[in-house]
Amino acid sequence: MPFRIATFLTASFLGGAVVAVVAGLHYLWLGAWLGAWLWFGLDAWRAQRLLHVLRNDANGLPSRGAGVWGEMAERIRKLLRTREQQARQAEDRLQEFLAAIQASPNGVVLLDEQGRIEWCNQTAAGQFGIDAERDLLQHLSNLVRDPAFVAYLASWNYSRDVVIDAPSQIQAHRGHPVRLSVQVHPYAGNRRMLLTRDITSLEQAEAMRRDFVANVSHEIRTPLTVLAGFVETLQTLPLDAEERSRYLQLMGQQSHRMETLVNDLLTLSRLEGSAAPPVNRWTRVRALMAQCEDEGRGLSSRLAAQGHKLSFALEADSEIAGAATELQSAMSNLLSNAIRYTPGGSEVAVSWRLLPDGRGEYAVRDSGPGIAAEHIPRLTERFYRIDRSRSRETGGTGLGLAIVKHVAQRHGAELRIESTVGKGSRFALVFPVTRLRQAAVPAPSLEKA
C-alpha cells in the first residue's frame, strides 16, 4: 500500500512535469512569434519612416539610431551633405564663369537645338538690341533680321565669321554706324555658341590707314611729278640763266615741300610711339612764345609782301611741364596755320593767360575767312583741308592740326576751335593746372606788334 501510494505520487509528479513542460514550450513559441512580429513591425515602421523622409524632405532625416536603418539614415545624411557641398561648389564655379563671360568685351550667346536663346551676356544684348531676360527662348533669327546674319545662321557653315550692321536702334543710340563680327561655334550636338565683336573702330582704323597711305602717296607724287618735269626740262631744253634760275627756285620749293611733309610724318610717328611726356621737366612759356614770334614773322614775310599785323601778349609768365619740342611744335603749328590762311595785312593775335580756375590758355586769333561749322569736327584729321589749293600754295601739309591734337592729348590739354565765316577763327590750347606753375623769375608782359 505505501509502495502504490508512492508510485502514484511519483507518476502524478512526472505527469505534471510533462504537462508543465509541454505548456511552457507552447507559451515560449507564442512569445517568440509575438516578439518576431513586434520586431518586424518596428523594423517596417523605421523603414517606412526613412522612405517617407527621403520622398518628401531629405533634410529631415532622423538622427542616427539603433539598427541597420539608423546606420543607413546616417550614411544617407552624410552622402547628401557631400552632394550638397559639391552642388554648391559647382554652382559657385558656374556663377564665376558666367560673371567672367559677362565681363568680357565680346558678346556671347548660347542657342539650343532650335536656335532659341538659352543665355546671353549683356555685351551681346547691347550689340543685338535684345533683352537678356525677356527674350530668353526666343529665336535669335526673329530678333536680328539682318539678311546676311540670318543666312549665315541657317547655313551651318561656320568656317568663317560674318560682318553685319548692328540693328538700327543701336546705331541711332550711339550716333554712328556700328559693325559687328559674328562667329558661330557648334557644341554639344546641335547647340551653338555665338561670339560677337564690335569691329567699328577696327574698320575705321583700317579706313584711316588706307586714306593715310593714299594721301601720303598723293602728297608726295605731286611735288615729285613737278620735280621730274623740271629736271627733264633742264636736261633737254637750252635755257638761259634767268629761266634756269627760275626753274631751280621752283624745284627748291617742291623739295622743301616734300621735306616738310616727311618731317611732319616723322613727328606724328614719334608722338604716337614715344613714352608719355615728363611731368617734372619745365619749360618757360616766355621762351616758347619768343620762338613762335620769330618763326611767325619769318613765315609772314615769305607769304605776303606786306606781311601781317602780328601781336604777342604774355599776361602771366608761367612754366609748363612736358616735352619742350612737342609744346613748341603745337604752338608754332597753330600760329603758322593762322598766318597761312589770313590775307596779308590782316591781324593775327597770339596770347597766353591764366584762366580763373588756374588753367593756362595759349590762343591764336586771326581775321581770315573763317571756317564753316561742318568742317570744324574734322580739322584735326590727317590731310584734311578745307581749301586744298590754298594749302598747297602756302606750303601746308595738312598735318599741322593732327600734330597739335596729339600733343594736346599727351599733355592733358584741350584743343578749342571757334570760328565764324567771314570774321576769322580762334584756336586755343588749354593746359591743366597740374602741368602749370609760376615762373621762377617773373618777367614783364610781352607786347609786340
Side-chain angles (χ1 to χ4, degrees):
M1 187 68 180
F3 175 76
R4 289 183 177 180
I5 295 174
T7 302
F8 176 77
L9 292 175
T10 302
S12 299
F13 176 77
L14 289 175
V18 170
V19 172
V21 168
V22 172
L25 288 175
H26 176 74
Y27 286 113
L28 179 63
W29 281 105
L30 182 59
W33 275 105
L34 288 175
W37 277 105
L38 288 174
W39 179 261
F40 177 76
L42 179 62
D43 194 60
W45 176 77
R46 289 176 177 174
Q48 187 66 28
R49 179 185 176 192
L50 177 61
L51 185 60
H52 175 76
V53 171
L54 291 175
R55 286 175 175 174
N56 295 278
D57 183 13
N59 294 323
L61 283 172
S63 59
R64 180 170 182 173
V68 65
W69 297 113
E71 179 71 18
M72 186 178 295
E74 181 66 20
R75 291 184 179 275
I76 292 176
R77 183 187 295 105
K78 290 182 179 180
L79 180 61
L80 289 176
R81 190 183 303 116
T82 302
R83 294 292 177 85
E84 289 175 357
Q85 184 177 2
Q86 293 174 348
R88 284 195 300 269
Q89 292 175 351
E91 179 68 20
D92 293 341
R93 286 195 296 270
L94 175 62
Q95 293 302 322
E96 291 174 359
F97 180 72
L98 294 178
I101 298 179
Q102 285 287 8
S104 172
N106 297 327
V108 179
V109 182
L110 302 181
L111 303 180
D112 63 10
E113 293 87 345
Q114 287 76 38
R116 297 175 300 186
I117 301 173
E118 287 187 319
W119 184 87
C120 72
N121 64 356
Q122 291 299 326
T123 302
Q127 292 172 346
F128 283 139
I130 61 179
D131 191 297
E133 296 181 359
R134 181 196 62 201
D135 294 326
L136 285 180
L137 299 181
Q138 296 294 320
H139 288 274
L140 183 60
S141 57
N142 292 337
L143 302 175
V144 182
R145 301 300 300 167
D146 187 282
F149 173 76
V150 174
Y152 173 71
L153 192 61
S155 68
W156 287 92
N157 180 14
Y158 305 133
S159 58
R160 58 176 181 82
D161 63 347
V162 63
V163 177
I164 64 173
D165 292 320
S168 56
Q169 66 268 25
I170 302 301
Q171 303 193 43
H173 175 71
R174 297 193 185 183
H176 60 78
V178 178
R179 300 278 285 170
L180 301 176
S181 171
V182 182
Q183 177 75 62
V184 176
H185 299 275
Y187 76 100
N190 291 331
R191 281 184 163 84
R192 286 166 287 180
M193 177 176 65
L194 274 73
L195 300 180
T196 65
R197 184 163 55 103
D198 189 338
I199 60 172
T200 305
S201 58
L202 293 178
E203 291 202 343
Q204 290 175 346
E206 179 62 20
M208 290 176 61
R209 186 194 65 80
R210 291 194 299 266
D211 293 342
F212 177 73
V213 172
N215 285 324
V216 170
S217 302
H218 178 74
E219 293 293 334
I220 293 180
R221 185 187 302 116
T222 302
L224 278 176
T225 302
V226 175
L227 279 174
F230 287 153
V231 170
E232 183 179 357
T233 300
L234 291 173
Q235 290 175 338
T236 58
L237 297 178
L239 302 175
D240 56 30
E242 183 178 354
E243 289 178 329
R244 179 179 291 272
S245 176
R246 186 172 66 86
Y247 280 162
L248 290 175
Q249 181 181 4
L250 293 175
M251 291 172 66
Q253 292 176 358
Q254 296 301 321
S255 63
H256 177 71
R257 176 182 170 187
M258 284 195 297
E259 180 183 8
T260 303
L261 176 61
V262 170
N263 288 336
D264 284 351
L265 288 172
L266 290 175
T267 298
L268 273 176
S269 177
R270 185 172 60 253
L271 290 174
E272 292 177 344
S274 61
V279 294
N280 57 354
R281 190 177 303 168
W282 298 90
T283 302
R284 196 164 182 174
V285 176
R286 183 178 181 83
L288 297 173
M289 293 275 286
Q291 188 169 347
C292 286
E293 181 179 0
D294 292 339
E295 295 176 0
R297 293 191 184 280
L299 178 62
S300 176
S301 62
R302 291 196 304 271
L303 295 180
Q306 69 274 37
H308 296 80
K309 298 178 181 178
L310 301 178
S311 63
F312 297 82
L314 185 67
E315 297 183 7
D317 192 13
S318 309
E319 292 182 346
I320 304 178
T325 55
E326 296 181 18
L327 295 169
Q328 186 64 62
S329 176
M331 293 180 174
S332 296
N333 269 302
L334 290 183
L335 177 57
S336 63
N337 275 352
I339 294 174
R340 292 178 195 278
Y341 293 99
T342 300
S346 300
E347 179 184 1
V348 176
V350 183
S351 63
W352 170 266
R353 63 177 181 137
L354 291 179
L355 300 179
D357 58 6
R359 293 181 296 171
E361 180 190 71
Y362 170 82
V364 178
R365 179 177 53 81
D366 64 56
S367 53
I371 305 169
E374 62 267 21
H375 294 293
I376 291 179
R378 301 190 60 189
L379 288 179
T380 57
E381 296 180 11
R382 299 175 183 184
F383 298 109
Y384 184 82
R385 294 187 179 96
I386 300 173
D387 186 348
R388 290 185 175 271
S389 60
R390 173 65 177 168
S391 177
R392 292 195 178 98
E393 288 174 4
T394 59
T397 63
L399 297 173
L401 288 178
I403 293 174
V404 173
K405 180 188 71 173
H406 278 77
V407 173
Q409 291 175 345
R410 287 168 55 81
H411 289 79
E414 177 187 357
L415 175 61
R416 295 178 177 178
I417 303 176
E418 302 171 1
S419 186
T420 303
V421 176
K423 295 184 179 181
S425 306
R426 185 178 187 272
F427 291 76
L429 283 172
V430 181
F431 293 90
V433 178
T434 54
R435 285 192 174 265
L436 296 176
R437 74 178 184 185
Q438 187 177 2
V441 181
S445 176
L446 178 64
E447 196 77 43
K448 294 185 179 180

